[in-house]
Coordinates of all heavy atoms in Angstrom, one line a residue:
M1 N 112.4 164.9 57.3 CA 113.7 164.3 57.3 C 113.8 163.2 58.2 O 114.7 163.2 59.0 CB 114.8 165.4 57.5 CG 114.9 166.4 56.4 SD 116.2 167.5 56.5 CE 117.6 166.7 57.2
K2 N 112.9 162.3 58.2 CA 113.0 161.1 59.1 C 114.0 160.1 58.6 O 114.6 159.4 59.4 CB 111.6 160.4 59.1 CG 110.5 161.2 59.6 CD 110.4 161.1 61.1 CE 109.2 161.9 61.6 NZ 109.1 161.9 63.0
N3 N 114.3 160.0 57.3 CA 115.2 159.1 56.7 C 116.3 159.9 56.0 O 116.0 160.4 54.9 CB 114.6 158.1 55.8 CG 115.5 157.0 55.4 OD1 116.7 157.1 55.5 ND2 114.9 155.9 54.8
W4 N 117.5 159.9 56.5 CA 118.6 160.8 55.9 C 119.0 160.3 54.6 O 119.4 161.1 53.7 CB 119.8 160.9 56.9 CG 120.5 159.6 57.1 CD1 120.3 158.7 58.0 CD2 121.6 159.1 56.3 NE1 121.1 157.6 57.9 CE2 121.9 157.8 56.8 CE3 122.2 159.6 55.2 CZ2 123.0 157.1 56.3 CZ3 123.3 158.8 54.6 CH2 123.6 157.6 55.2
K5 N 118.8 159.0 54.3 CA 119.2 158.4 53.0 C 118.3 158.9 51.9 O 118.7 159.3 50.8 CB 119.3 156.9 53.0 CG 120.4 156.3 53.9 CD 120.3 154.8 53.9 CE 119.3 154.4 54.9 NZ 119.3 152.9 55.1
T6 N 117.0 159.0 52.2 CA 116.1 159.5 51.2 C 116.3 161.0 50.9 O 116.3 161.4 49.8 CB 114.6 159.3 51.7 OG1 114.4 157.9 52.1 CG2 113.6 159.7 50.7
T7 N 116.5 161.8 52.0 CA 116.8 163.2 51.8 C 118.1 163.4 51.0 O 118.1 164.2 50.1 CB 117.0 163.8 53.2 OG1 115.8 163.6 54.0 CG2 117.2 165.3 53.1
L8 N 119.1 162.7 51.3 CA 120.4 162.8 50.6 C 120.2 162.4 49.1 O 120.7 163.1 48.2 CB 121.5 161.9 51.2 CG 122.8 162.0 50.6 CD1 123.4 163.4 50.7 CD2 123.8 161.0 51.3
A9 N 119.5 161.3 48.9 CA 119.3 160.9 47.5 C 118.5 161.9 46.7 O 118.8 162.2 45.5 CB 118.6 159.5 47.5
G10 N 117.5 162.5 47.3 CA 116.7 163.6 46.7 C 117.6 164.8 46.4 O 117.5 165.4 45.3
A11 N 118.4 165.2 47.3 CA 119.3 166.3 47.1 C 120.3 166.1 46.0 O 120.5 167.0 45.2 CB 120.0 166.7 48.5
V12 N 120.9 164.9 46.0 CA 121.9 164.6 45.0 C 121.2 164.5 43.6 O 121.7 165.1 42.6 CB 122.6 163.3 45.3 CG1 123.4 162.8 44.1 CG2 123.5 163.5 46.5
G13 N 120.0 163.9 43.6 CA 119.3 163.9 42.3 C 118.9 165.2 41.8 O 119.1 165.5 40.6
A14 N 118.5 166.1 42.7 CA 118.1 167.5 42.3 C 119.4 168.2 41.8 O 119.3 169.0 40.8 CB 117.5 168.2 43.4
A15 N 120.5 168.0 42.5 CA 121.7 168.7 42.1 C 122.2 168.3 40.7 O 122.6 169.1 39.9 CB 122.8 168.4 43.1
V16 N 122.1 167.0 40.5 CA 122.5 166.5 39.1 C 121.6 167.0 38.0 O 122.1 167.4 37.0 CB 122.5 164.9 39.1 CG1 122.6 164.4 37.7 CG2 123.6 164.4 40.0
I17 N 120.3 167.1 38.3 CA 119.3 167.7 37.3 C 119.7 169.1 37.0 O 119.7 169.6 35.9 CB 117.9 167.5 37.8 CG1 117.5 166.0 37.7 CG2 116.9 168.3 36.9 CD1 116.2 165.6 38.4
I18 N 119.9 169.9 38.1 CA 120.3 171.3 38.0 C 121.6 171.5 37.2 O 121.7 172.3 36.3 CB 120.3 172.0 39.3 CG1 118.8 172.1 39.8 CG2 120.9 173.4 39.2 CD1 118.7 172.5 41.3
L19 N 122.6 170.7 37.6 CA 123.9 170.8 36.9 C 123.8 170.4 35.5 O 124.4 171.0 34.6 CB 124.9 169.9 37.6 CG 125.5 170.4 38.9 CD1 126.4 169.3 39.5 CD2 126.4 171.6 38.6
N20 N 123.0 169.4 35.2 CA 122.7 169.0 33.8 C 122.1 170.1 33.0 O 122.5 170.3 31.8 CB 121.9 167.7 33.8 CG 121.8 167.2 32.4 OD1 122.7 167.1 31.6 ND2 120.6 166.7 32.0
K21 N 121.2 170.9 33.6 CA 120.5 171.9 32.9 C 121.4 173.1 32.6 O 121.4 173.7 31.5 CB 119.3 172.3 33.6 CG 118.5 173.4 32.9 CD 117.2 173.7 33.6 CE 116.4 174.7 32.8 NZ 115.1 174.9 33.2
Y22 N 122.2 173.5 33.6 CA 122.9 174.8 33.5 C 124.4 174.6 33.2 O 125.1 175.6 33.1 CB 122.7 175.6 34.8 CG 121.3 176.0 35.0 CD1 120.5 175.5 36.0 CD2 120.8 177.0 34.1 CE1 119.2 175.9 36.1 CE2 119.4 177.4 34.2 CZ 118.7 176.8 35.3 OH 117.4 177.2 35.4
S23 N 124.9 173.4 33.1 CA 126.3 173.2 32.7 C 126.3 172.6 31.3 O 125.3 172.4 30.7 CB 127.0 172.3 33.7 OG 126.5 171.0 33.6
G24 N 127.5 172.4 30.8 CA 127.6 171.8 29.4 C 127.7 170.3 29.4 O 128.1 169.7 28.4
I25 N 127.2 169.6 30.5 CA 127.3 168.2 30.5 C 126.4 167.5 29.4 O 126.8 166.6 28.8 CB 126.9 167.6 31.9 CG1 127.9 168.2 33.0 CG2 126.9 166.1 31.9 CD1 127.5 167.8 34.4
D26 N 125.2 168.0 29.3 CA 124.3 167.6 28.2 C 123.9 166.1 28.3 O 124.0 165.4 27.3 CB 124.9 167.9 26.8 CG 123.8 168.0 25.8 OD1 122.7 168.3 26.1 OD2 124.1 167.8 24.6
L27 N 123.5 165.7 29.5 CA 123.0 164.3 29.6 C 121.5 164.3 29.3 O 120.8 165.3 29.4 CB 123.1 163.9 31.1 CG 124.5 163.8 31.6 CD1 124.5 163.5 33.1 CD2 125.3 162.6 30.9
P28 N 121.0 163.2 28.9 CA 119.5 163.1 28.5 C 118.7 163.3 29.8 O 118.8 162.7 30.8 CB 119.3 161.7 28.0 CG 120.7 161.0 28.0 CD 121.7 161.9 28.6
V29 N 117.8 164.3 29.7 CA 117.0 164.7 30.8 C 116.1 163.6 31.4 O 116.0 163.4 32.6 CB 116.1 166.0 30.5 CG1 115.2 166.4 31.6 CG2 117.1 167.1 30.1
A30 N 115.4 162.9 30.5 CA 114.5 161.8 30.9 C 115.2 160.7 31.7 O 114.8 160.3 32.7 CB 113.8 161.2 29.7
E31 N 116.4 160.4 31.3 CA 117.2 159.3 31.9 C 117.7 159.8 33.3 O 117.7 159.0 34.2 CB 118.3 158.8 31.0 CG 117.9 157.9 29.9 CD 117.3 158.7 28.7 OE1 117.2 160.0 28.8 OE2 116.9 158.1 27.7
V32 N 118.2 161.0 33.3 CA 118.7 161.5 34.6 C 117.6 161.6 35.6 O 117.7 161.2 36.8 CB 119.3 162.9 34.4 CG1 119.6 163.6 35.7 CG2 120.6 162.8 33.6
T33 N 116.4 162.1 35.2 CA 115.2 162.2 36.1 C 114.8 160.8 36.6 O 114.5 160.6 37.8 CB 114.1 162.9 35.4 OG1 114.5 164.2 35.0 CG2 112.9 163.1 36.4
A34 N 114.7 159.8 35.6 CA 114.4 158.5 36.0 C 115.3 157.8 37.0 O 114.9 157.2 37.9 CB 114.3 157.6 34.7
L35 N 116.6 158.1 36.8 CA 117.6 157.5 37.7 C 117.5 158.2 39.1 O 117.6 157.5 40.1 CB 119.0 157.8 37.1 CG 120.2 157.2 37.9 CD1 120.0 155.6 38.0 CD2 121.5 157.5 37.3
A36 N 117.3 159.5 39.2 CA 117.1 160.1 40.5 C 115.9 159.6 41.2 O 115.9 159.3 42.4 CB 116.9 161.6 40.2
I37 N 114.8 159.4 40.5 CA 113.6 158.8 41.1 C 113.8 157.4 41.6 O 113.4 157.0 42.7 CB 112.4 158.9 40.1 CG1 112.0 160.4 39.9 CG2 111.2 158.1 40.6 CD1 110.9 160.6 38.8
F38 N 114.5 156.6 40.8 CA 114.8 155.2 41.1 C 115.6 155.2 42.4 O 115.4 154.4 43.3 CB 115.6 154.5 40.0 CG 116.1 153.2 40.4 CD1 115.2 152.1 40.4 CD2 117.4 153.0 40.6 CE1 115.7 150.9 40.8 CE2 117.9 151.7 41.0 CZ 117.0 150.7 41.1
I39 N 116.6 156.0 42.5 CA 117.5 156.0 43.7 C 116.7 156.4 45.0 O 116.9 155.8 46.0 CB 118.7 156.9 43.5 CG1 119.6 156.2 42.4 CG2 119.5 157.1 44.8 CD1 120.8 157.1 42.0
V40 N 115.9 157.4 44.8 CA 115.0 157.8 46.0 C 114.1 156.7 46.4 O 114.0 156.4 47.6 CB 114.3 159.1 45.7 CG1 113.2 159.4 46.7 CG2 115.2 160.3 45.6
A41 N 113.5 156.1 45.4 CA 112.6 154.9 45.7 C 113.3 153.8 46.3 O 112.8 153.0 47.2 CB 111.8 154.5 44.5
L42 N 114.5 153.6 45.9 CA 115.3 152.4 46.4 C 115.7 152.6 47.9 O 115.6 151.6 48.6 CB 116.6 152.3 45.6 CG 117.5 151.1 45.8 CD1 116.8 149.8 45.4 CD2 118.8 151.3 45.1
V43 N 116.0 153.8 48.3 CA 116.4 154.0 49.7 C 115.3 154.4 50.7 O 115.5 154.6 51.9 CB 117.6 155.0 49.8 CG1 118.8 154.4 49.1 CG2 117.2 156.3 49.3
S44 N 114.1 154.6 50.1 CA 113.0 155.1 51.0 C 112.3 154.0 51.7 O 112.2 152.9 51.1 CB 112.1 156.0 50.2 OG 111.4 155.2 49.3
K45 N 111.7 154.3 52.8 CA 110.8 153.3 53.5 C 109.9 154.1 54.4 O 110.1 155.3 54.6 CB 111.6 152.3 54.3 CG 112.4 152.8 55.4 CD 113.1 151.6 56.1 CE 113.8 152.0 57.3 NZ 114.4 150.9 58.0
D46 N 108.9 153.4 54.9 CA 107.9 154.1 55.8 C 108.7 154.6 57.1 O 109.6 154.0 57.6 CB 106.8 153.1 56.3 CG 105.9 152.8 55.1 OD1 106.0 153.5 54.1 OD2 105.2 151.8 55.2
Y47 N 108.2 155.7 57.6 CA 108.9 156.4 58.7 C 108.8 155.5 60.0 O 109.7 155.6 60.8 CB 108.3 157.8 59.0 CG 106.9 157.7 59.6 CD1 106.8 157.9 61.0 CD2 105.8 157.6 58.9 CE1 105.6 157.8 61.6 CE2 104.5 157.6 59.5 CZ 104.4 157.7 60.9 OH 103.2 157.7 61.4
D48 N 107.8 154.7 60.2 CA 107.6 153.9 61.4 C 108.0 152.5 61.2 O 107.7 151.6 62.1 CB 106.2 154.0 61.9 CG 105.2 153.5 60.9 OD1 105.5 153.2 59.8 OD2 104.1 153.2 61.4
T49 N 108.8 152.1 60.2 CA 109.2 150.8 60.0 C 110.6 150.6 60.5 O 111.5 151.4 60.3 CB 109.2 150.4 58.5 OG1 107.9 150.6 58.0 CG2 109.6 149.0 58.2
T50 N 110.8 149.5 61.2 CA 112.2 149.1 61.7 C 112.6 147.9 61.0 O 111.9 146.9 60.9 CB 112.1 148.9 63.2 OG1 111.5 150.0 63.9 CG2 113.5 148.6 63.8
G51 N 113.9 147.9 60.5 CA 114.4 146.7 59.9 C 114.2 146.8 58.4 O 113.7 147.8 57.8
A52 N 114.6 145.8 57.6 CA 114.5 145.8 56.2 C 114.1 144.4 55.7 O 114.4 143.4 56.4 CB 115.8 146.2 55.6
G53 N 113.5 144.3 54.6 CA 113.1 143.0 53.9 C 112.1 142.2 54.8 O 111.2 142.8 55.4
A54 N 112.4 141.0 54.9 CA 111.5 140.1 55.7 C 111.5 140.4 57.2 O 110.6 140.0 57.9 CB 111.9 138.6 55.4
E55 N 112.6 141.0 57.6 CA 112.7 141.4 59.0 C 112.1 142.7 59.4 O 112.1 143.1 60.6 CB 114.2 141.4 59.4 CG 114.9 140.1 59.1 CD 114.3 138.9 59.9 OE1 114.0 139.1 61.1 OE2 114.2 137.8 59.4
A56 N 111.4 143.4 58.5 CA 110.8 144.7 58.7 C 109.6 144.6 59.7 O 108.8 143.6 59.5 CB 110.4 145.4 57.4
E57 N 109.5 145.5 60.6 CA 108.4 145.5 61.6 C 107.9 146.9 61.8 O 108.6 147.8 61.7 CB 108.9 145.0 62.9 CG 109.4 143.5 62.9 CD 109.8 143.1 64.3 OE1 110.1 144.0 65.2 OE2 109.9 141.9 64.6
K58 N 106.6 146.9 62.1 CA 106.0 148.2 62.5 C 105.5 148.0 63.9 O 104.8 147.0 64.2 CB 104.8 148.5 61.6 CG 105.2 149.0 60.2 CD 104.0 149.5 59.5 CE 104.5 150.0 58.1 NZ 103.8 151.2 57.7
P59 N 105.7 148.9 64.8 CA 105.2 148.7 66.2 C 103.7 148.7 66.2 O 103.1 149.5 65.5 CB 105.8 150.0 66.9 CG 106.7 150.6 66.0 CD 106.5 150.1 64.6
G60 N 103.2 147.8 66.9 CA 101.7 147.7 67.0 C 101.0 147.0 65.8 O 99.8 147.1 65.7
D61 N 101.7 146.4 64.9 CA 101.1 145.8 63.7 C 100.7 144.4 64.2 O 101.5 143.5 64.3 CB 102.1 145.7 62.6 CG 101.5 145.2 61.3 OD1 100.3 144.9 61.3 OD2 102.3 145.1 60.3
A62 N 99.4 144.2 64.3 CA 98.8 142.9 64.8 C 99.0 141.8 63.8 O 99.1 140.6 64.2 CB 97.4 143.1 65.1
Y63 N 99.1 142.1 62.5 CA 99.3 141.1 61.5 C 100.7 140.7 61.3 O 101.0 139.7 60.6 CB 98.7 141.6 60.2 CG 97.2 141.9 60.3 CD1 96.8 143.2 60.3 CD2 96.3 140.9 60.3 CE1 95.4 143.5 60.4 CE2 95.0 141.1 60.4 CZ 94.5 142.4 60.5 OH 93.2 142.7 60.6
N64 N 101.6 141.3 61.9 CA 103.0 141.0 61.6 C 103.7 140.6 62.9 O 104.9 140.9 63.1 CB 103.7 142.2 61.0 CG 105.1 141.9 60.4 OD1 105.4 140.8 60.1 ND2 105.9 142.9 60.2
Q65 N 103.0 140.0 63.9 CA 103.6 139.6 65.1 C 104.4 138.3 64.9 O 104.0 137.4 64.3 CB 102.5 139.4 66.2 CG 101.8 140.6 66.5 CD 102.7 141.6 67.2 OE1 103.5 141.3 68.0 NE2 102.5 142.9 66.9
K66 N 105.6 138.2 65.5 CA 106.4 137.1 65.4 C 106.3 136.3 66.7 O 106.6 136.9 67.8 CB 107.9 137.5 65.1 CG 108.0 138.1 63.7 CD 109.4 138.4 63.4 CE 109.4 139.0 62.0 NZ 110.3 139.9 61.7
Y67 N 106.0 135.1 66.6 CA 105.8 134.3 67.9 C 106.9 133.3 68.0 O 107.5 132.8 67.2 CB 104.5 133.5 67.8 CG 103.3 134.4 67.7 CD1 102.6 134.6 66.5 CD2 102.8 135.0 68.8 CE1 101.6 135.4 66.4 CE2 101.7 135.9 68.7 CZ 101.1 136.1 67.5 OH 100.0 136.9 67.5

């Protein structure tokens, strides 16, 4: 649980899949699963990365030093 957003997205995705299966909502399973995976992938990042996009850095990364 290094990134709370990834954990939350996974928990919400799992809850939606379970609710879809055991309730009368009847959403398409493949689309619900794909959407849950997409959201988890969207908010996840490496545990030792600081920042986002072009400003992302890893401590000790010799190839990503900003001078």
